[in-house]
Amino acid sequence: MKYPTGFVNDPKQPYARLISKDSGGWVYEERAYQSRDRIFYVTLVIYDEADFRNPAKYSGYKDLLDSFTLSYPKGRSTVKDLSTVEGNFRWYTQEDMGLKLKVPANWQNSYNQAFTQFSSADGRQWIKVKITSKEEGLTLEDWAKRHEQMYRDQINESYLKVDSAPASTMVAGVPAIEQKFSSSDGAFWYSEHDFFFFKGNYKVYVEIAYDPEATEQEKKELVQTIKQSLTVNQSAMNPAMGEIADDDLVDQNQMATIKFAEQKFSISIPEHWKEIRGDGITKTYEFLGGNAMILAGPGKIAAVRKEVEQSIKENSSSYAYLIKENKPITVAGANGYKLYVVGNNDGARFEKTIYLLEKGKNMYMIAFTVSEWVKTKALEQRLQKIIDSIQFTDGK
């Protein structure tokens, strides 16, 4: 039996129709309806293709799909309103955390284990709610100061503006502190309005980032709607939540030693860095605004140095590379070279620092790529600590 696909000119409400089947045999019928500037998607999933091909059974499925309408009959008590949208916002509930708040209706939930987050399509606006266990003796004032210092340690002073001093307010029925910040990633500036408050044994951090070019009324509506709607019901929390660690308290300078046994080489890196690629001789780590690559293997640095310099030359037009330093160095008894290069990627400035070392039959490369917006004294000291940690266990 054949069914129409493409555009269906239904006299009541025309729609686009697509039928597909996955590798498991499930059949999907998807419909798209347009009403003014909005598009509504309705999808039916049928587990057994035979049911889809059976006219009698499909008739019931079609009746269900055809029951969709672009209008809501408010006067009919038999129709239940399941919509969570109110005006330009919709309700969101996180039952495990006892959290409830309004978020912009067209923002998407970004899954993250550490916090709840909704973002606009362009990623330049968001709401982040982070609930963690409260440390004994912590005050709101101390927490807000600690948070500000964390920003100053992470973001270059030229890319950070503290727009206001901490001020007292009320959120979710309890005393809170609010503060405004502006920061840039080198390409765009972001404005945020932060709230800090305690609920029982937990502390709640709320970060609202809005379009700097939005009108004052739009900014106010966004912040006030979220602030006034937000509730945290500790008694409704999942008892299994227990102690919730705060990753903001992780010691950024706590180091872990990485060993390359065959190459008789070790180096220490911050424990909080995320490994994104690793094999026998190469490891790559990611951190806020940058990454690090460590390579250890047989070879001579003369050839590698030539390749690195050639790569910089070939990409100089794309990234406006400028070699600021290219000099011989000695690290932990190994001779080599240090290259320091600055560049620009679509207006966002960055730098690369490349260490090339040779010891015995092996060569070693430690390369840091750092966006200018995260180049702080704290990060520079951390990177130097990594270089100072280099050890060679056998010079042969």
Side-chain angles (χ1 to χ4, degrees):
M1 183 175 182
K2 293 184 178 180
Y3 298 90
T5 58
F7 183 74
V8 179
N9 193 16
D10 187 299
K12 293 182 180 179
Q13 47 189 31
Y15 57 89
R17 183 172 186 251
L18 175 67
I19 297 174
S20 60
K21 184 175 73 170
D22 66 15
S23 59
W26 292 10
V27 177
Y28 299 79
E29 178 167 343
E30 300 171 80
R31 294 185 179 186
Y33 300 83
Q34 183 170 357
S35 175
R36 296 180 182 178
D37 60 344
R38 293 187 176 184
I39 297 178
F40 298 83
Y41 297 93
V42 180
T43 302
L44 172 71
V45 183
I46 303 174
Y47 300 148
D48 190 341
E49 184 179 3
D51 290 343
F52 180 77
R53 298 299 178 186
N54 185 316
K57 289 189 176 182
Y58 178 76
S59 177
Y61 299 142
K62 185 177 184 302
D63 288 344
L64 175 63
L65 288 169
D66 290 345
S67 70
F68 176 79
T69 178
L70 293 169
S71 61
Y72 178 71
K74 293 183 178 180
R76 288 172 53 185
S77 59
T78 56
V79 180
K80 184 178 181 181
D81 186 2
L82 299 178
S83 173
T84 59
V85 176
E86 295 181 6
N88 296 322
F89 294 82
R90 60 187 168 96
W91 283 100
Y92 169 77
T93 302
Q94 222 291 9
E95 295 183 354
D96 282 344
M97 294 291 190
L99 172 68
K100 185 177 181 180
L101 78 159
K102 283 184 177 181
V103 300
N106 59 346
W107 286 13
Q108 297 298 310
N109 184 233
S110 305
Y111 176 75
N112 190 297
Q113 289 184 323
F115 48 78
T116 297
Q117 179 170 325
F118 287 83
S119 305
S120 60
D122 61 6
R124 298 183 63 185
Q125 301 181 78
W126 63 83
I127 164 72
K128 179 192 296 185
V129 182
K130 184 177 180 180
I131 301 177
T132 54
S133 294
K134 175 177 175 276
E135 306 94 81
E136 185 176 354
L138 181 68
T139 66
L140 286 175
E141 292 75 14
D142 289 343
W143 182 22
K145 289 178 182 177
R146 185 176 74 192
H147 184 81
E148 180 180 329
Q149 186 58 50
M150 180 182 71
Y151 271 13
R152 295 186 184 279
D153 288 341
Q154 292 180 343
I155 304 175
N156 183 289
E157 59 182 9
S158 298
Y159 293 81
L160 176 68
K161 299 175 183 176
V162 180
D163 295 339
S164 65
S168 298
T169 187
M170 295 288 290
V171 180
V174 297
I177 279 182
E178 63 181 324
Q179 191 171 18
K180 297 178 183 179
F181 297 92
S182 293
S183 62
S184 173
D185 61 4
F188 301 103
W189 276 90
Y190 303 86
S191 298
E192 66 181 66
H193 199 129
D194 299 346
F195 295 97
F196 308 81
F197 62 95
F198 299 141
K199 266 291 185 177
N201 299 325
Y202 297 93
K203 61 183 193 290
V204 185
Y205 169 69
V206 182
E207 180 180 301
I208 306 170
Y210 43 77
D211 184 354
E213 298 178 0
T215 66
E216 289 303 315
Q217 181 59 35
E218 290 172 331
K219 296 176 185 177
K220 182 178 180 181
E221 180 188 15
L222 177 65
V223 173
Q224 289 299 110
T225 300
I226 294 172
K227 176 184 177 182
Q228 293 173 5
S229 68
L230 191 148
T231 58
V232 178
N233 185 354
Q234 188 181 6
S235 63
M237 284 185 178
N238 186 339
M241 298 303 295
E243 188 81 11
I244 306 175
D246 186 353
D247 56 11
D248 286 347
L249 299 178
V250 171
D251 184 355
Q252 302 290 302
N253 295 310
Q254 183 66 40
M255 310 292 278
T257 300
I258 309 300
K259 296 182 179 180
F260 295 78
E262 291 187 13
Q263 290 75 35
K264 309 295 184 182
F265 170 76
S266 70
I267 187 170
S268 296
I269 64 164
E271 278 190 346
H272 71 279
W273 282 10
K274 179 182 178 182
E275 184 173 353
I276 56 176
R277 187 170 65 87
D279 54 36
I281 64 172
T282 305
K283 294 184 180 295
T284 304
Y285 299 88
E286 187 178 63
F287 55 89
L288 179 68
N291 62 73
M293 184 186 75
I294 303 169
L295 183 151
K300 299 293 183 180
I301 63 171
V304 178
R305 182 188 181 193
K306 185 176 180 180
E307 289 180 10
V308 170
E309 291 175 344
Q310 183 63 28
S311 176
I312 291 171
K313 182 178 179 180
E314 291 175 353
N315 290 283
S316 60
S317 60
S318 299
Y319 297 107
Y321 277 140
L322 179 63
I323 298 178
K324 305 285 287 186
E325 192 175 63
N326 189 353
K327 66 178 185 180
I329 57 170
T330 301
V331 176
N335 295 322
Y337 295 89
K338 175 185 176 183
L339 286 84
Y340 172 59
V341 183
V342 295
N344 191 304
N345 185 12
D346 292 332
R349 290 183 286 187
F350 65 94
E351 63 181 45
K352 287 180 176 289
T353 307
I354 304 169
Y355 296 86
L356 297 171
L357 304 172
E358 187 176 307
K359 190 78 168 177
K361 297 180 180 180
N362 294 314
M363 62 78 51
Y364 309 86
M365 180 166 69
I366 303 93
F368 304 119
T369 300
V370 177
S371 299
E372 188 179 71
W373 67 275
V374 297
K375 186 181 178 183
T376 63
K377 184 177 180 180
L379 179 59
E380 288 181 323
Q381 291 175 341
R382 197 169 300 132
L383 298 183
Q384 185 58 49
K385 189 176 180 180
I386 294 172
I387 299 302
D388 292 342
S389 74
I390 291 175
Q391 290 187 4
F392 299 95
T393 56
D394 190 340
K396 298 180 181 179

